[in-house]
Amino acid sequence: MINKRLLIRNLLSHHDENSFYDKKRQLNLHTKEGKAKFLKHVCALSNSNPKNNSFLVVGIEDEDNLIVGTEFYDDSKIQNLVNAFLDNPPSIQYENVPFPDLPQDRVVGLVTIRPKKGISHFKKAIYTISPATFFSRMGSNSVPDVLPKINNNQDIVESIEKISRNNLNHILDSVVSFVTLTHKDMKSDYHVFKEFFVVCWAGKPFKIRELIFYSRVDIELINEQIKLFYSAFDAVTIEYTKDEFIITEYLRLGLKDATTYYPFERLVLHFYENGSYTMKNKLLFIPPKYNPRLLRHIYQANLQLIEKLRQKTILNRSEERDLLQLPQTMMICYLNNFESAKDELIQAKNLLKEYKNEVVYNSFKEVMRILRKVKYEVNEE
């Protein structure tokens, strides 16, 4: 089994950007421009590597290969984005890889693009990319409408993956580090599946109606050095059998003080005797419905708050409290057919990021993650 942390280190140590490997400081999938850039690189790497995996590493300074990390990104529907815009799309996997020197909420993103036959091209326009455009890699660049040259990357990539395989020492060190160093201030545990796979988790437990939830949750599949889940906000339940590890995420939603926990998404890891495993996500979320008149009042008040931020007006205490709830209440408005609420929230991103209380921007990021998943589940776009 490949240790993804070792794989990233081997890519960074021995190879500059090339026809099977690219690195980025960050991805921005909130905008059409950001989506277009991501899809361009996936298309190019796929077309240039029909016989081997190719990789996009996120959270790396381009000039000196410094590992700076990026935000945890758990959008299980990212394959749907690729499928929505590319004909003959490759199979991709986005994984969050923790590094010891990064803060707990920062990881390195690893996009693995599986080999496939035939050329991928855009089936519809996005940003400045026209339909029928395809890309390939010319050295470290992704260029349009140039047929990829036959490359000899297969042996090189297989060699990199071979030296990145796990060993018992790596696994034991990682379990001890997770329990005694990374999460020494909270309850942590681990379980071994099929005498091979090790899943570690940590969180702060609390009980509601006999059901035990965890907050500030961190869950890692130690064998591959990937984070399965991380959140400073949400509540999750954790269950496991001899074959499966099950994470169910809940959202605490509501207006003012009237909040309820809603099931949002379930992730099931199934482990097999042959040393393989599968991960399957299922969206469970049914958005709550509210009185349209009440929501219109809240929506207009939120727009006024955003305008006050834009004008740098000092907020009173009541407005500060409302601002803490603004991302969530704008999401509730959007899910109740106030279509412009999402765009207004995205346009306010920088204002929320610059606000003195970082809880506001963290809430914005959580809301955007939720809306991405709901969008792709419904529209597959």
Side-chain angles (χ1 to χ4, degrees):
M1 183 170 290
I2 294 175
N3 182 314
K4 301 303 171 59
R5 187 188 297 168
L6 286 178
L7 175 62
I8 291 170
R9 289 196 187 279
N10 286 323
L11 287 170
L12 295 177
S13 298
H14 302 295
H15 299 276
D16 199 358
E17 293 173 308
N18 51 45
S19 57
F20 65 83
Y21 156 60
D22 199 359
K23 60 180 184 285
K24 297 296 174 190
R25 176 62 180 82
Q26 62 183 5
L27 297 180
N28 181 6
L29 299 182
H30 295 317
T31 66
K32 289 183 178 180
E33 180 183 5
K35 289 178 182 177
K37 288 181 178 179
F38 171 72
L39 291 165
K40 176 183 74 174
H41 294 308
V42 168
C43 180
L45 288 164
S46 174
N47 288 338
S48 299
N49 294 276
K51 296 183 179 180
N52 55 267
N53 290 334
S54 49
F55 308 98
L56 177 61
V57 182
V58 185
I60 310 297
E61 288 288 4
D62 193 32
E63 294 184 0
D64 55 8
N65 270 1
L66 182 66
I67 299 174
V68 295
T70 187
E71 295 170 352
F72 181 87
Y73 186 83
D74 75 335
D75 191 347
S76 59
K77 306 299 180 183
I78 197 168
Q79 179 72 57
N80 296 33
L81 174 64
V82 175
N83 295 347
F85 284 93
L86 296 182
D87 266 331
N88 190 27
S91 175
I92 72 166
Q93 185 173 17
Y94 189 105
E95 295 169 310
N96 297 277
V97 184
F99 275 72
D101 295 332
L102 292 177
Q104 188 179 337
D105 61 343
R106 307 286 287 183
V107 294
V108 174
L110 176 65
V111 182
T112 303
I113 303 155
R114 306 299 183 190
K116 60 154 186 59
K117 295 180 180 180
I119 298 294
S120 296
H121 62 271
F122 280 76
K123 61 184 177 183
K124 58 183 179 181
I126 180 171
Y127 197 56
T128 60
I129 301 175
S130 302
T133 302
F134 65 91
F135 290 85
S136 60
R137 295 287 287 183
M138 298 275 297
S140 62
N141 298 315
S142 298
V143 296
D145 298 329
V146 175
L147 287 173
K149 295 180 180 180
I150 298 175
N151 60 63
N152 298 312
N153 289 333
Q154 188 173 8
D155 290 342
I156 299 174
V157 172
E158 287 179 355
S159 174
I160 294 171
E161 292 177 333
K162 184 176 181 179
I163 64 174
S164 302
R165 293 194 180 278
N166 236 324
N167 60 51
L168 184 58
N169 188 62
H170 288 139
I171 294 173
L172 290 176
D173 284 348
S174 296
V175 172
V176 172
S177 177
F178 185 96
V179 173
T180 64
L181 296 177
T182 307
H183 300 293
K184 60 184 179 182
D185 63 333
M186 66 176 69
K187 179 179 174 60
S188 58
D189 207 343
Y190 70 92
H191 190 75
V192 180
F193 295 88
K194 306 300 181 183
E195 300 182 335
F196 184 71
F197 299 97
V198 184
V199 178
C200 287
W201 66 94
K204 296 213 168 205
F206 63 98
K207 183 183 287 189
I208 297 179
R209 298 194 184 111
E210 303 305 315
L211 189 62
I212 296 177
F213 292 89
Y214 292 87
S215 63
R216 291 182 58 198
V217 177
D218 185 9
I219 305 173
E220 295 185 15
L221 178 58
I222 296 297
N223 302 67
E224 294 198 351
Q225 290 294 317
I226 59 174
K227 273 187 189 289
L228 299 172
F229 189 92
Y230 177 81
S231 176
F233 287 97
D234 296 328
V236 305
T237 59
I238 295 172
E239 309 166 77
Y240 57 88
T241 67
K242 67 182 183 68
D243 297 323
E244 293 183 334
F245 186 82
I246 304 162
I247 308 163
T248 305
E249 179 184 359
Y250 290 76
L251 301 180
R252 186 181 180 186
L253 293 177
L255 301 177
K256 301 298 182 181
D257 296 327
T259 59
T260 303
Y261 285 91
Y262 295 88
F264 180 61
E265 186 176 38
R266 178 172 292 128
L267 170 65
V268 178
L269 278 81
H270 190 102
F271 300 98
Y272 298 92
E273 296 288 353
N274 63 1
S276 64
Y277 70 94
T278 57
M279 286 195 295
K280 293 184 178 180
N281 297 74
K282 182 178 181 180
L283 195 71
L284 309 173
F285 187 49
I286 300 176
K289 297 299 181 183
Y290 291 93
N291 183 289
R293 288 187 178 182
L294 173 62
L295 287 183
R296 182 163 297 281
H297 172 75
I298 291 173
Y299 182 48
Q300 292 300 327
N302 281 347
L303 293 182
Q304 292 173 12
L305 267 180
I306 292 173
E307 184 59 28
K308 287 189 174 184
L309 290 180
R310 191 171 285 119
Q311 299 298 328
K312 301 187 183 303
T313 303
I314 297 176
L315 305 183
N316 59 41
R317 288 187 179 181
S318 175
E319 290 169 334
E320 288 180 345
R321 288 194 297 270
D322 289 342
L323 185 61
L324 294 176
Q325 299 298 320
L326 184 142
Q328 186 183 97
T329 53
M330 290 292 271
M331 176 179 68
I332 290 174
C333 290
Y334 175 74
L335 294 173
N336 281 263
N337 300 318
F338 287 74
E339 297 293 337
S340 59
K342 179 180 176 182
D343 290 336
E344 293 285 355
L345 183 59
I346 292 174
Q347 291 173 19
K349 173 185 176 181
N350 289 335
L351 297 173
L352 302 178
K353 188 174 184 178
E354 294 166 0
Y355 188 68
K356 60 185 179 181
N357 190 336
E358 64 181 13
V359 171
V360 176
Y361 184 60
N362 287 336
S363 178
F364 167 84
K365 291 186 292 185
E366 287 287 299
V367 163
M368 296 312 300
R369 177 180 69 87
I370 295 164
L371 290 179
R372 276 198 310 272
K373 289 191 174 186
V374 171
K375 174 185 176 183
Y376 288 131
E377 184 74 16
V378 175
N379 299 324
E380 292 194 352
E381 288 187 9

